Amino acid sequence: MRYISKLILPTLLLILLHPSTSLAMLCQGNGGSFTLPRGLAVGADLEDGTIVWESEPLSRKVSCRADAFDPGGLGDQIPISIYVNPKSHKIDGGIEVGMRFGGKIYTRTGEKIPTGVQTEMVCGIDGKPGMCGRHANFTLDFSLVVLKRGVFPPSGMATQVGTYTVFTVDRDTSLSARQLFIPTIYNLQLVRSSACTPTLSLVPDHITFPMVHARDAQRGKVASAVDFNLEISRTCSKDIFSSEAKFTPVTAIDAAGMLVPDDNPSVGISLVRPDHRTTAPLNKWFSLHSGSYREVVRVPFRADLLWRENRPQIGPFSAGVIVEVTHF
């Protein structure tokens, strides 16, 4: 009996040890680092699930490869998934952090989201025809989000975590020890509770351009301009505050920072900050105002209608944007 046990034991050890060195996946790429506005304030009156901050839409290249030989056979494909909050960062209350992918928002720690991507067999690695391995190169489209959720702790701060890894990308069955694609948010420890949320008004509530003549069209020339204001009202608190805003097109496309109506691509609309002599970006947060005690802050804008063609399409058109504001 003693002789048989000496033969069986090493065999068992080999079987147990082999998977631990054969199933590793290495995914890498520039996930990006994102810094929240310093002292981002979340109104206690907001409904749970309200987005209080979201990054611009992101598109990142990801490269994955199997780290070692897989006993399943090199021809087998390995599905690749997203894992939310892979480092299990703790949030005490008031907010939750996650990512938007495929039109949905995911925030649950450890949640696994299929990307729909699988590895493929690639040969000729390092110029050697016999060197083969599983690889996947793809582009991941996503954004990072912070949402209102629950009640802030008595300290008014949601977490002590300053550096928050939002998600990572790995093989379908497990998380590797090495995670090199890690989109990260900074300043989360500075997010604080606020008594109330400012209200936003667009004055006027919609913009109508006067009639222009197509015969005057000249590519790049301003055909007409209309002034409007964004007004931020916060009557429930007299504390100093600043704010950021974001314009997101809904019935138009973003063409190099210009709104182009879906129903007439021969014209474009630029949203201009006349006080700064700059054009407000689209799909990106920008500073709206800083350091004000006033109950109502009025920020001037101008909508410039530009010709995009010398022979434009004749007829009415419409373009819309969603305006979001966050305060701190």
Side-chain angles (χ1 to χ4, degrees):
M1 264 329 260
R2 188 175 301 168
Y3 175 73
I4 295 174
S5 66
K6 288 181 180 179
L7 289 176
I8 293 176
L9 185 58
T11 304
L12 289 174
L13 284 173
L14 286 174
I15 293 172
L16 291 172
L17 288 174
H18 185 71
S20 68
T21 60
S22 64
L23 302 181
M25 175 74 72
L26 184 66
C27 293
Q28 53 191 333
N30 178 21
S33 299
F34 305 86
T35 302
L36 296 180
R38 192 170 185 85
L40 176 66
V42 179
D45 55 344
L46 286 177
E47 293 185 5
D48 277 2
T50 301
I51 296 174
V52 297
W53 178 88
E54 183 170 4
S55 72
E56 65 271 21
L58 304 166
S59 186
R60 294 287 193 265
K61 294 186 181 299
V62 184
S63 177
C64 297
R65 63 179 175 83
D67 224 12
F69 179 74
D70 188 327
L74 283 173
D76 295 343
Q77 295 178 328
I78 302 174
I80 296 171
S81 294
I82 294 166
Y83 291 85
V84 178
N85 190 14
K87 297 187 178 180
S88 299
H89 297 304
K90 182 183 178 182
I91 293 178
D92 297 320
I95 62 170
E96 60 183 0
V97 180
M99 54 96 69
R100 188 191 296 273
F101 173 72
K104 296 182 179 180
I105 292 177
Y106 301 89
T107 59
R108 192 172 68 247
T109 296
E111 188 167 9
K112 183 177 73 174
I113 309 159
T115 63
V117 176
Q118 294 181 322
T119 59
E120 296 180 353
M121 172 60 65
V122 176
C123 293
I125 300 172
D126 297 330
K128 301 176 182 178
M131 290 289 290
C132 301
R134 294 189 184 91
H135 289 250
N137 296 297
F138 59 99
T139 299
L140 194 67
D141 297 319
F142 63 94
S143 63
L144 308 183
V145 294
V146 178
L147 303 94
K148 166 72 166 58
R149 182 71 66 190
V151 180
F152 277 79
S155 66
M157 301 298 180
T159 181
Q160 298 299 314
V161 177
T163 303
Y164 192 104
T165 300
V166 182
F167 71 93
T168 193
V169 178
D170 212 321
R171 63 177 296 131
D172 186 57
T173 54
S174 63
L175 276 172
S176 303
R178 288 185 293 169
Q179 297 163 5
L180 300 182
F181 184 82
I182 47 172
T184 302
I185 289 178
Y186 292 93
N187 277 1
L188 200 64
Q189 83 282 12
L190 301 179
V191 175
R192 60 183 176 85
S193 177
S194 175
C196 64
T197 304
T199 58
L200 172 67
S201 300
L202 178 67
V203 183
D205 59 4
H206 68 279
I207 298 166
T208 302
F209 290 104
M211 185 178 295
V212 293
H213 296 285
R215 65 173 178 268
D216 298 328
Q218 183 178 340
R219 186 191 301 268
K221 182 180 179 180
V222 176
S224 182
V226 175
D227 293 326
F228 68 97
N229 294 315
L230 288 184
E231 294 186 358
I232 304 97
S233 175
R234 196 183 66 157
T235 58
C236 63
S237 174
K238 296 186 182 299
D239 293 340
I240 189 170
F241 78 108
S242 303
S243 63
E244 292 188 347
K246 182 171 71 168
F247 292 118
T248 303
V250 287
T251 56
I253 61 171
D254 177 358
M258 181 186 300
L259 284 168
V260 176
D262 292 340
D263 53 3
N264 189 346
S266 66
V267 295
I269 302 167
S270 288
L271 303 177
V272 180
R273 297 284 303 271
D275 53 343
H276 291 189
R277 298 182 181 179
T278 59
T279 299
L282 302 175
N283 293 309
K284 186 176 182 179
W285 290 97
F286 61 93
S287 175
L288 189 62
H289 85 279
S290 59
S292 176
Y293 287 98
R294 289 178 294 168
E295 290 185 348
V296 179
V297 177
R298 185 174 292 108
V299 183
F301 282 85
R302 188 183 70 243
D304 285 350
L305 178 67
L306 294 97
W307 300 114
R308 301 184 71 234
E309 297 178 7
N310 294 328
R311 295 184 177 180
Q313 175 181 323
I314 297 175
F317 61 87
S318 62
V321 294
I322 294 174
V323 186
E324 299 171 80
V325 171
T326 185
H327 73 294
F328 52 96

